[in-house]
Amino acid sequence: LALGGVFYAMYRYRLNQVLHVQRIRNKISADLHDELGSVLTQISLQSDMVSRDIYTEEEKQQELQNIRNTSREAILAMSDIVWSVSAGHDKASSLIDRMKDHADLMLQPLDIVPEFIITGIREDRVIDNQLRQELFLIFKEAIHNIVKHASPTYVKIDMHNADGEFELKVKNDINTPRERQAVGGHGLKNMKQRAKTIGATLEVEAGDNMYSVILRRREM
């Protein structure tokens, strides 16, 4: 019985390893489809339109610029996917650095330097792969919405562990007409769904000229 128990434990361990690898492969496949599928389709369609010679020279140059911009988006998306599954980036410090780099890149054209406040987080702590990826994608969507809809003058990111709880808060001011401000929509819905998969809650606080996205879960 003891020997049988040892072999069974070895079998279960091996099975769990195989299932873990399969889950990673499935996730990479889904991420490639979601992140790159539409972008590559867009590049293909834009290239076909340019090749038909239906544009003026000025319009053609603009379309070529659009293709270059779309290609950069594809490269960034691929970089995010590689980062999310790489074991060499599994510490909290890597997540924080990635968030800072992304915020700087997106907000630089608006002449905004984001303010980061990080407290109570051990940067050498290893973070679960799914948690790391979902946190980054939620943060990425929050920054995207700010750039697209808010015309802000400041962006403040507060991330901390305290009293057994982790909180990520992305706050900005709003300087666009109310009719252009996004309320709800698929972006917020997707963020809430991602938060749910990591045992977190996500809520929004909105004022006359202020908007905050707040994620909370147990301490990480």
Side-chain angles (χ1 to χ4, degrees):
L1 287 176
L3 187 59
V6 170
F7 279 113
Y8 180 72
M10 293 172 61
Y11 164 76
R12 291 296 304 177
Y13 175 78
R14 177 59 179 165
L15 179 61
N16 288 335
Q17 291 293 101
V18 171
L19 291 175
H20 178 66
V21 171
Q22 187 61 45
R23 283 193 294 269
I24 292 176
R25 292 175 63 183
N26 290 341
K27 187 164 183 56
I28 294 174
S29 176
D31 289 342
L32 287 172
H33 179 272
D34 294 342
E35 294 285 339
L36 295 181
S38 61
V39 175
L40 295 177
T41 299
Q42 185 177 349
I43 292 174
S44 177
L45 292 174
Q46 289 173 327
S47 301
D48 288 342
M49 294 297 289
V50 172
S51 66
R52 292 177 186 177
D53 203 24
I54 60 176
Y55 294 120
T56 65
E57 187 61 30
E58 183 179 349
E59 291 172 334
K60 185 180 294 185
Q61 291 302 317
Q62 181 59 50
E63 285 300 311
L64 290 173
Q65 182 60 45
N66 291 338
I67 292 173
R68 284 191 287 270
N69 292 338
T70 306
S71 300
R72 292 191 188 98
E73 291 178 11
I75 293 170
L76 291 173
M78 177 64 76
S79 176
D80 288 343
I81 293 171
V82 172
W83 171 84
S84 70
V85 298
S86 173
H89 300 293
D90 56 1
K91 293 183 179 179
S93 59
S94 179
L95 173 62
I96 293 170
D97 289 343
R98 191 74 177 185
M99 294 167 84
K100 289 180 177 180
D101 289 345
H102 182 75
D104 287 337
L105 178 66
M106 295 297 293
L107 297 171
Q108 186 178 23
L110 303 180
D111 292 325
I112 295 174
V113 177
E115 178 185 1
F116 273 84
I117 301 175
I118 313 292
T119 56
I121 295 177
R122 284 177 44 203
E123 296 197 8
D124 62 340
R125 180 165 185 174
V126 173
I127 301 178
D128 174 76
N129 180 72
Q130 183 182 21
L131 173 59
R132 178 166 52 97
Q133 184 179 29
E134 298 296 354
L135 282 175
F136 178 69
L137 290 176
I138 291 169
F139 175 80
K140 186 177 177 181
E141 182 68 25
I143 297 297
H144 172 78
N145 289 339
I146 291 172
V147 172
K148 187 175 180 181
H149 301 293
S151 298
T153 60
Y154 76 88
V155 176
K156 181 178 179 180
I157 297 102
D158 186 351
M159 188 162 61
H160 63 264
N161 281 324
D163 301 323
E165 183 179 74
F166 168 79
E167 181 179 284
L168 168 63
K169 184 175 184 178
V170 182
K171 181 179 179 180
N172 62 277
D173 60 336
I174 302 175
N175 297 284
T176 51
R178 187 167 294 277
E179 60 270 17
R180 287 181 53 200
Q181 297 174 16
V183 179
H186 291 295
L188 182 58
K189 181 179 178 181
N190 291 339
M191 290 165 71
K192 288 184 174 181
Q193 184 59 44
R194 289 186 182 280
K196 186 177 179 180
T197 63
I198 55 175
T201 61
L202 188 138
E203 61 186 55
V204 166
E205 291 180 356
D208 291 337
N209 67 336
M210 180 276 296
Y211 194 86
S212 297
V213 174
I214 306 169
L215 179 142
R216 296 186 179 95
R217 72 182 301 275
R218 69 181 184 277
E219 184 174 315
M220 73 173 192

